[in-house]
Amino acid sequence: MFASRKLLQHLQQSITLFTQFRMAASSSSGFRVALLQLTVTADKSTNVANAVRRLQQAKLNGCTLAILPECFNSPYNTALFKEYSEVIPGGETSEALSQAAKSNQMYIVGGSIPEICDGKVYNTCTVWDPNGNLIAKHRKVHLFDINIPGGVCFKESDALAAGNTLNTFQLGKLKIGLGICYDIRFAEMATLYRKQGCDMLIYPSAFNMTTGPLHWSLLIRCRAVDNQAFVAVVSPARVTDSNYVAWGHSMVVDPWGKILEEASEKDMDLYADLDFGDREKMRQQIPTENQRRTDLYDTIDLKNKV
């Protein structure tokens, strides 16, 4: 009996190691990604349970990476952020994402959730590896404070503190940069990620019914073309009677600016196969990185002096 148990443990370890090796090998040239456009309700536990189910489905569809929306466990409402906030990584949502990553043997970009830390609340994205480890955390750098008469008025700074770092993670040999929603409007941030060697940019986001129709796809495609990188942006599904109505239309764009997959406004999942070999060819054919006139201009990371 003891020998059988030891053999079973050995087999399980071998399977885990083989899975990790296969994922690392495949990710050097490409992988399948899931963009999960979820309906967000007022019930946190329901939101988290729904996310876990959809993550399982993404794994069954052969995905190496799955991405959740901005504020997927909480209504997008400044009056509610503190109520729904939790510590990272010890909170309910983090524990569920860690277990989902481990049980499904996949990478998860956990959209964003309200994080409480030292009395401040942040809009925070977490990233989990196939062992369930937290490997990156990004706090929204640019807070969404806008006032468009006749359109939308929103002020995140009434309830949230801003993050102060740029954050990346490795998926095999590929490097991925993180932002959240309003961060995508700031081209300098994306340029710094390109200078750091990022192959892909991910922005969990929730544009609205005013800026969404005008700027959503434009900004996503601009960041992709400017930085010759894949860009994935994941929104919550549209709920028309909510306090904040999201645009939806999650999408992934290739380095040429081509929309590979785009959702409607409804609750749905997207799957896309990303070929990073094509990305490298594009960078060779249009070598803008080597053609930048840094004798005339540059984009500099003031925090890290690069």
Side-chain angles (χ1 to χ4, degrees), residues 161-179:
N164 293 307
T165 59
L166 305 187
N167 301 279
T168 65
F169 69 98
Q170 291 288 143
L171 198 164
K173 294 181 179 180
L174 303 172
K175 191 171 188 178
I176 300 176
L178 297 169

Side-chain angles (χ1 to χ4, degrees), residues 144 146-148 151-155:
F144 181 54
I146 68 168
N147 185 4
I148 302 174
V152 62
C153 179
F154 203 90
K155 195 173 183 182

Side-chain angles (χ1 to χ4, degrees), residues 205-234:
S205 301
F207 272 38
N208 54 74
M209 298 301 293
T210 299
T211 60
L214 294 171
H215 299 157
W216 177 257
S217 62
L218 175 66
L219 285 167
I220 299 167
R221 296 181 67 208
C222 282
R223 296 296 83 83
V225 173
D226 286 349
N227 299 287
Q228 300 179 316
F230 286 94
V231 178
V233 182
V234 186

Side-chain angles (χ1 to χ4, degrees), residues 228-294:
Q228 300 179 316
F230 286 94
V231 178
V233 182
V234 186
S235 169
R238 189 181 305 172
V239 179
T240 55
D241 61 352
S242 64
N243 177 265
Y244 180 94
V245 181
W247 173 238
H249 291 273
S250 300
M251 70 171 65
V252 58
V253 175
D254 76 7
W256 289 93
K258 178 183 178 181
I259 298 173
L260 300 179
E261 296 289 343
E262 178 180 2
S264 67
E265 77 282 6
K266 299 182 183 301
D267 186 301
M268 62 188 299
D269 300 335
L270 300 178
Y271 302 108
D273 294 308
L274 308 184
D275 187 341
F276 288 83
D278 287 346
R279 187 283 326 275
E280 195 55 40
K281 291 176 184 176
M282 190 265 193
R283 289 185 174 185
Q284 292 171 1
Q285 292 165 7
I286 308 177
T288 54
E289 181 65 15
N290 299 325
Q291 295 169 333
R292 297 174 71 242
R293 289 290 305 277
T294 53

Side-chain angles (χ1 to χ4, degrees), residues 106 138 222 236:
M106 69 190 304
H138 177 78
C222 282

Side-chain angles (χ1 to χ4, degrees), residues 79-99:
L80 298 176
F81 286 150
K82 189 166 186 179
E83 176 185 340
Y84 282 78
S85 66
E86 57 185 75
V87 295
I88 294 174
E92 168 191 350
T93 305
S94 291
E95 290 181 356
L97 293 180
S98 173
Q99 182 57 41

